[in-house]
Amino acid sequence: MGKLHVVDHPLVAHKMTIIRNKHTSVKDFRELVSEIGMLITYEATRDLRLTTKVIETPLCKTEQPTLAGKKIAVCPILRAGLGLVDGVLRMVPSARVAHIGMYRDEETLEPHTYFCKTPKDIADRDIIIVDPMLATGGSAAAAIDEMKKRGCKNIKLLVLVAAPEGVKRIQESHPDVDIYAGALDECLNEHGYIVPGLGDAGDRIFGTK
Ligand code: PRP
Ligand code: URA
């Protein structure tokens, strides 16, 4: 079964409280989503392999660690996932970006895919799917399906807030995928929103409400 890693760090906890607050401005919300994304990426990349290379400091030659060069793609689920891309790229600047457009039907809560554009060599890359919210898990599960259809094997899911229902769904449908989250919340309400959550992530990032 895939593991759930809830990032246990005071900076993440503090910033999560600010974005949950309904009085936080669009500007602050957007900036903090990016910052928290960066901090969760730090945890999600903990298993990246290292090799060594010889460099010269001002004092001497020395053999030092460097990333082994495994290729990564960050894959935002549009729209709200876009808010996390910048944070991941600040940590992993060489990563490519694969976009998946998906929206959740407000009545049925079923995800609908409307766009998917990936780098040509996506099957050779480690994938970090990003979306602020893991609610029922329908959108994330469908995004993982899309990436697996394209041959991707090593997939991680990075979210800000996870609901137990969404975690269960991913662990059951994609047991090979680990989840990295800023917080694990209590439950979903009758409209499929995470409680206490932070509301509609896309609307809060883009100011569309
Ligand atoms: C939100 C969120 C996730 C999805 C989570 O997107 O960003 O993609 O809902 O819900 P689920 O786990 O039940 O599938 P939404 O469909 O509102 O689209 P948006 O990003 O365009 O706002
Ligand atoms: N999508 C959101 O943006 N927020 C939720 O709480 C659930 C789904």
Side-chain angles (χ1 to χ4, degrees):
M1 194 203 290
K3 266 181 80 176
L4 169 68
H5 307 255
V6 180
V7 177
D8 177 22
H9 193 288
L11 290 178
V12 173
H14 178 79
K15 290 172 194 289
M16 289 294 301
T17 299
I18 303 175
I19 62 168
R20 287 181 190 279
N21 188 336
K22 69 177 186 181
H23 298 296
T24 296
S25 70
V26 169
K27 173 182 174 289
D28 288 349
F29 189 91
R30 195 183 289 144
E31 284 172 6
L32 286 161
V33 164
S34 175
E35 284 175 20
I36 300 167
M38 191 166 69
L39 294 168
I40 303 176
T41 302
Y42 180 77
E43 278 305 315
T45 51
R46 194 174 270 289
D47 61 352
L48 281 184
R49 279 187 300 116
L50 291 169
T51 180
T52 59
K53 71 176 182 184
V54 176
I55 55 149
E56 241 179 302
T57 74
L59 301 182
C60 64
K61 276 195 177 172
T62 171
E63 190 172 344
Q64 294 293 328
T66 183
L67 286 174
K70 185 72 186 159
K71 297 194 270 184
I72 294 179
V74 52
C75 177
I77 302 178
L78 310 183
R79 291 175 300 166
L82 286 174
L84 288 161
V85 172
D86 177 55
V88 179
L89 290 180
R90 274 152 77 187
M91 290 284 99
V92 194
S94 62
R96 301 294 193 262
V97 182
H99 294 88
I100 298 192
M102 215 166 255
Y103 71 91
R104 194 172 77 145
D105 184 292
E106 284 180 10
E107 298 294 318
T108 66
L109 304 183
E110 284 302 312
H112 294 272
T113 307
Y114 58 84
F115 184 75
C116 189
K117 179 81 181 172
T118 69
K120 282 203 178 67
D121 61 352
I122 192 77
D124 302 329
R125 292 180 177 271
D126 288 351
I127 307 295
I128 305 177
I129 294 177
V130 297
D131 192 325
M133 310 307 277
L134 179 65
T136 65
S139 305
I144 296 168
D145 284 336
E146 287 287 336
M147 290 296 114
K148 286 187 175 174
K149 256 194 257 168
R150 287 165 172 76
C152 302
K153 286 170 203 73
N154 187 359
I155 302 175
K156 291 174 177 169
L157 175 63
L158 187 160
V159 302
L160 297 187
V161 186
E165 294 88 336
V167 172
K168 183 166 181 280
R169 174 135 180 203
I170 299 301
Q171 288 179 333
E172 285 174 0
S173 57
H174 295 290
D176 54 315
V177 174
D178 277 6
I179 303 167
Y180 294 82
L184 176 65
D185 273 14
E186 285 159 26
C187 58
L188 298 179
N189 71 10
E190 64 276 23
H191 305 293
Y193 274 81
I194 301 177
V195 180
L198 48 78
D200 188 305
D203 283 341
R204 296 198 63 189
I205 291 169
F206 297 109
T208 41
K209 218 163 224 173

